[in-house]
Amino acid sequence: MKRRTEKWKIAAGVAILILLAAVIAVGSRIIEKREKKVKKNSDYDEETSVQWTEENTLYFNGTLYGYDHRLESFLFMGTDASGNEEGTGEDYHGAMADYLLLMVLDHTDRSWGCIQIDRNAITSVNVLEEDGSLRTIREQQICTAHWYGSNKEMSAENQVDSVKFLLGELGTIDGYYVLNMKDISTLNSLVDGVEVTFQEDMTDVDPVFVKGTTLTLTDEQAEEFIRSRMSLKDPTNAARMTRQKQYMDGFFQKVKNNLPFCGGLAGS
C-alpha cells in the first residue's frame, strides 16, 4: 500500500509538469497587467549609471528597463541514490541532483522553452549547517547543492539558489519539483512509453538497444536509457544528457499529441 501511495504522489507531481507545459495553451490562468511600483535601492554604480531595483528591473542612464513579457520559471530535479531523502531529522541526507531542467513559460506569446543544466557545471554552492544556516559558499559541482540541508525542502531550495547563481544571479525561480531518478518508470507509464531512436550502441545495457533501432521504451527500459553511462563507450555525463533530452523531447511530444487542448502550444 505504501508503494502505491508513493506512486500516486509521483504521478501527481509529474502531472504538474504536464500541466505547466499546457497551461498557456489552455488559458486557465488569468494574468493581470499591473503597473509595478519600482523601489530604488542603494545598489547604484555611478560609473555606468546602472541601478537595479527590487522588481528585477534596472535604471540605465535614467531610463527604466524591465521584462516586456510575463514569464514564469520552474526547476525540475532528478536525484540519485547517494543520500537518504526518506529520512527525517539526523537521518535525512540530500542526494546529488543528477538531472536539472529549467522550464520557462512565456504567458505573453504562449510559448515555453527548457534549459538543461549539466550536473558537473561549476558554480557557487551554499554549504549549509544542519540547522540551515550558511557555513560558507564554495565553487563546486552544481549537483552537490541538493546534498546540503536538513530536509527535502531545504535541499531543493538550496539547489534552486545554485541554479540562480549559475544563470547570473537570476532573480526568481517560481517553483520546483523533485523526482528521484529511480521513479522514471512512473513517469514513463503515465504516457504509455516514450519512443526513442538509439543514436549509439547500448547493447551492453540491454540487448535490444541497438544503434539505429527505434523502440517504445518499457518502464524499466526508460530508467536504463536515462540513467546508464558507466558501461557505455562514452561514459560522460554530457553523453547521458543527450539521451535525457531525447527522452524528455519525446515525452513532451507525446503529451502534446494526446492532449487536445495542447494544439496551440509552441515550444522549443
Side-chain angles (χ1 to χ4, degrees):
M1 185 67 180
K2 182 179 178 182
R3 180 58 187 166
R4 185 176 179 183
T5 302
E6 289 176 353
K7 182 174 181 179
W8 279 109
K9 284 182 180 179
I10 296 166
V14 176
I16 294 171
L17 187 153
I18 297 171
L19 289 173
L20 283 172
V23 67
I24 39 185
V26 187
S28 60
R29 290 192 60 178
I30 299 173
I31 308 299
E32 296 182 1
K33 284 186 109 178
R34 297 177 296 188
E35 289 190 12
K36 293 182 178 180
K37 187 178 290 186
V38 178
K39 299 178 182 179
K40 296 184 179 182
N41 59 28
S42 59
D43 187 13
Y44 183 72
D45 186 333
E46 293 185 359
E47 184 175 341
T48 59
S49 300
V50 172
Q51 182 177 16
W52 287 96
T53 74
E54 294 178 6
E55 298 291 345
N56 208 31
T57 56
L58 62 85
Y59 282 101
F60 181 73
N61 289 332
T63 302
L64 179 65
Y65 294 89
Y67 297 116
D68 59 358
H69 283 211
R70 173 70 176 96
L71 303 177
E72 283 187 300
S73 59
F74 300 87
L75 181 64
F76 296 93
M77 314 172 212
T79 57
D80 63 16
S82 60
N84 181 21
E85 295 180 85
E86 300 308 315
T88 57
E90 293 182 357
D91 293 331
Y92 172 83
H93 206 301
M96 302 292 184
D98 258 5
Y99 178 78
L100 294 166
L101 182 78
L102 184 67
M103 175 184 283
V104 181
L105 304 181
D106 187 328
H107 294 277
T108 303
D109 64 11
R110 291 162 48 105
S111 65
W112 61 276
C114 294
I115 302 171
Q116 190 177 5
I117 299 170
D118 192 331
R119 72 186 297 278
N120 295 325
I122 302 299
T123 191
S124 299
V125 172
N126 294 326
V127 178
L128 305 178
E129 301 286 3
E130 286 190 6
D131 63 0
S133 60
L134 180 64
R135 183 194 312 167
T136 187
I137 300 176
R138 295 176 183 161
E139 296 296 311
Q140 56 192 49
Q141 288 172 291
I142 195 170
C143 64
T144 63
H146 196 271
W147 181 263
Y148 301 103
S150 58
N151 55 54
K152 291 182 179 180
E153 183 178 7
M154 196 179 297
S155 292
E157 291 182 354
N158 199 48
Q159 186 65 71
V160 167
D161 285 343
S162 279
V163 170
K164 291 196 291 186
F165 281 139
L166 182 71
L167 299 178
E169 300 191 18
L170 183 69
T172 301
I173 291 179
D174 299 281
Y176 60 80
Y177 182 71
V178 184
L179 180 74
N180 192 282
M181 296 295 276
K182 66 180 175 57
D183 292 312
I184 288 297
S185 57
T186 303
L187 180 74
N188 192 71
S189 67
L190 288 174
V191 293
D192 296 323
V194 171
E195 183 179 275
V196 299
T197 299
F198 294 93
Q199 305 300 317
E200 59 187 310
D201 178 70
M202 296 183 64
T203 52
D204 285 345
V205 175
D206 189 311
V208 299
F209 288 3
V210 179
K211 183 177 180 179
T213 299
T214 299
L215 183 69
T216 298
L217 299 174
T218 66
D219 298 343
E220 183 179 352
Q221 288 172 337
E223 183 177 352
E224 292 176 336
F225 182 74
I226 284 178
R227 299 190 70 181
S228 298
R229 70 183 180 100
M230 299 310 296
S231 61
L232 299 176
K233 184 177 181 180
D234 184 351
T236 62
N237 188 60
R240 182 169 63 177
M241 286 177 64
T242 299
R243 294 189 294 276
Q244 291 171 343
K245 181 181 185 303
Q246 184 183 359
Y247 179 87
M248 292 307 296
D249 286 347
F251 175 84
F252 280 118
Q253 189 59 51
K254 197 157 188 181
V255 170
K256 289 166 65 177
N257 290 344
N258 285 278
L259 295 181
F261 52 75
C262 282
L265 184 63
S268 61

